Amino acid sequence: MKNLFLTAVCSTAVLLLISGVAPKAASGSLDAAPTQSVTPSVALSATPTPVPTPTVVPTPTPAPCVREMNFISEDPPEDVLIPKYYNSLLEGDVHIYAFTDASGKVARRAYGSLETVWSDGETEVVSGFFEVDEDCKVISNTPVELESETYGEAVVLGESITVKGYKRAANGVYYFKSAGGIKHYRVYASVGGVEGIYPCDKEGNVERGALAADLEQDKLLMSYQVISLFVGDAPHVMLTAPTKTTLINMNNRLEASYVPQGMVAVSKHVHRAPFTLRNNGTYANAEALECFLEMVNAAYAEKGFDTFYLCSVYRSYSTQKELWDYRVSNNPSYGTNPLVPIGSAYPGTSEHQSGFAFDIGTLKHKVLGSYLANTAEHKWLAENSWRFGFILRYQKDKEYITGIKYEPYHFRYVGKELAEYLYSENICLEEYYDAPVRWVNVE
Ligand SMILES: [Zn+2]
């Protein structure tokens, strides 16, 4: 855990006052900030005096100022909803969430626990998302209220959309149809001060923090009206007995009833290498697990890493279907656009159903995301996992070949020989089999 210390004493209180969250008044301030209420008779001295001069009785009695703020950055627990407009990134060791606020400025948040030590010795600990500055230091000792964040409050301007291809629905809401008759709604609005055409629902509601629609992409979607491009309808064969080298993707699928043979409970082997298992009910292919343990032990021996966090390995068809259904419930057009690589695999197309895929986070960063590419552990994995038979399966520059979004945490076991070959040639599994993903039959 990284500790971020704010050692400044009363200048912190000034910041607190500016951000409007200081229930406790500052005392003995050194700064004559105009917005600050300072007890007039407290002499300016080189050393801040926490206790006011006895002859002065301030009204109301000032509470002590902040002596120290000690912030421990953590990933949010699973039940904490991360706002959609938060862009996840890693700076040093701190997981930052950034977005543009209503005034057009970049606002920054970090999740964690903040211990505030007041000068009278009282200590408070609060968890949540906190506002941080450019140096990743916590600015305010009150967590942000997500409901009142000012990012991108959408103002529907309701002017008519003159772009070709959009049809009028009602109340200034427009739409167009893409593959499978899916309607995409658009409205002219201003979000975070940026005017443009925004995706919206039927009623014209624009999500907070929404990004303007990409008109070029809209045009392409409009042209896909004839052929259904739903990923579930992509041409495919059913695999019967996948091995460690088998290509599994939207075109090469596993039956709903397929459960691999010869898997082992990972929890029985946790003691053999320094890593943490998220879920004790995790199963993995036995050979792949042996190599995973070998890899973790090597990372410890070579770099001292004992921080790997194994999030998931085998996932059943029905679990994958739940994940997929959840995605689609949030976004009905999910998986209908070949220009948007998929983040959750369609049921039957996930490598996790084979027991050969390992999703790896770190103890500091348990939330899986592209930001993990910047951790020391993941940089090591990207360069060394091939030695143990693993490949970084979904790379950034291969998104349109795999059809899957960049995932720096997803490692697929293919065996040492093939892993070394793929790594040295810098090719992905689809390229190896000369079979980039196909959304439609081209014959
Ligand atoms: Zn994965």
Side-chain angles (χ1 to χ4, degrees), residues 352 359 407 410:
H352 286 283
D359 282 345
E407 294 187 348
H410 178 113

Side-chain angles (χ1 to χ4, degrees), residues 194-209:
V194 182
E195 285 183 25
I197 296 171
Y198 284 85
C200 62
D201 66 11
K202 246 187 269 185
E203 276 73 46
N205 300 308
V206 180
E207 251 178 51
R208 285 204 304 165

Side-chain angles (χ1 to χ4, degrees), residues 68-72 74 112-118 122-128 130 141-143:
E68 191 177 273
M69 294 204 300
N70 176 20
F71 183 67
I72 298 173
E74 298 155 351
S113 303
L114 180 75
E115 181 191 61
T116 304
V117 183
W118 301 92
E122 191 196 331
T123 299
E124 282 176 62
V125 180
V126 188
S127 294
F130 289 87
N141 68 344
T142 307

Side-chain angles (χ1 to χ4, degrees), residues 260-264 284-287:
Q261 298 296 305
M263 288 198 295
V264 290
N285 172 273
E287 180 185 325

Side-chain angles (χ1 to χ4, degrees), residues 259-285:
V259 178
Q261 298 296 305
M263 288 198 295
V264 290
V266 179
S267 59
K268 291 190 179 158
H269 302 268
V270 176
H271 65 279
R272 296 173 52 202
F275 74 102
T276 305
L277 180 62
R278 177 167 78 178
N279 181 349
N280 276 334
T282 304
Y283 281 78
N285 172 273

Side-chain angles (χ1 to χ4, degrees), residues 312-313 315 350-352 357-360 368 394 407 409-411:
S312 76
V313 188
R315 204 180 285 150
S350 170
E351 290 191 326
H352 286 283
F358 289 60
D359 282 345
I360 307 170
L368 299 177
Y394 303 118
E407 294 187 348
Y409 50 83
H410 178 113
F411 290 85

Side-chain angles (χ1 to χ4, degrees), residues 49-231:
T49 334
V51 184
T53 318
T55 51
V56 176
V57 183
T59 322
T61 312
C65 59
V66 173
R67 193 170 70 202
E68 191 177 273
M69 294 204 300
N70 176 20
F71 183 67
I72 298 173
S73 162
E74 298 155 351
D75 278 327
E78 279 171 31
D79 58 343
V80 169
L81 207 63
I82 302 168
K84 283 184 184 167
Y85 53 90
Y86 275 11
N87 295 305
S88 200
L89 51 120
L90 194 66
E91 290 185 9
D93 270 347
V94 188
H95 186 174
I96 297 291
Y97 301 88
F99 61 93
T100 309
D101 70 15
S103 66
K105 277 193 216 133
V106 175
R108 295 156 57 84
R109 308 282 180 257
Y111 188 91
S113 303
L114 180 75
E115 181 191 61
T116 304
V117 183
W118 301 92
S119 65
D120 65 357
E122 191 196 331
T123 299
E124 282 176 62
V125 180
V126 188
S127 294
F129 287 102
F130 289 87
E131 190 180 352
V132 295
D133 67 12
E134 284 185 2
D135 299 321
C136 302
K137 293 219 167 91
V138 172
I139 295 169
S140 156
N141 68 344
T142 307
V144 293
E145 279 180 40
L146 298 179
E147 298 75 28
S148 56
E149 284 199 312
T150 56
Y151 182 98
E153 286 293 352
V155 180
V156 174
L157 302 171
E159 290 172 32
S160 63
I161 296 175
T162 52
V163 180
K164 226 177 133 189
Y166 295 99
K167 294 185 179 123
R168 184 190 290 271
N171 304 324
V173 179
Y174 287 71
Y175 73 94
F176 66 90
K177 279 186 187 175
S178 69
I182 294 165
K183 283 184 176 177
H184 303 259
Y185 293 95
R186 301 285 184 260
V187 70
Y188 194 73
S190 167
V191 177
V194 182
E195 285 183 25
I197 296 171
Y198 284 85
C200 62
D201 66 11
K202 246 187 269 185
E203 276 73 46
N205 300 308
V206 180
E207 251 178 51
R208 285 204 304 165
L211 298 174
D214 179 336
L215 300 190
E216 287 306 308
Q217 196 166 295
D218 277 4
K219 244 192 265 176
L220 273 164
L221 277 172
M222 286 174 200
S223 69
Y224 290 150
Q225 287 177 27
V226 185
I227 318 158
S228 169
L229 289 181
F230 176 52
V231 65

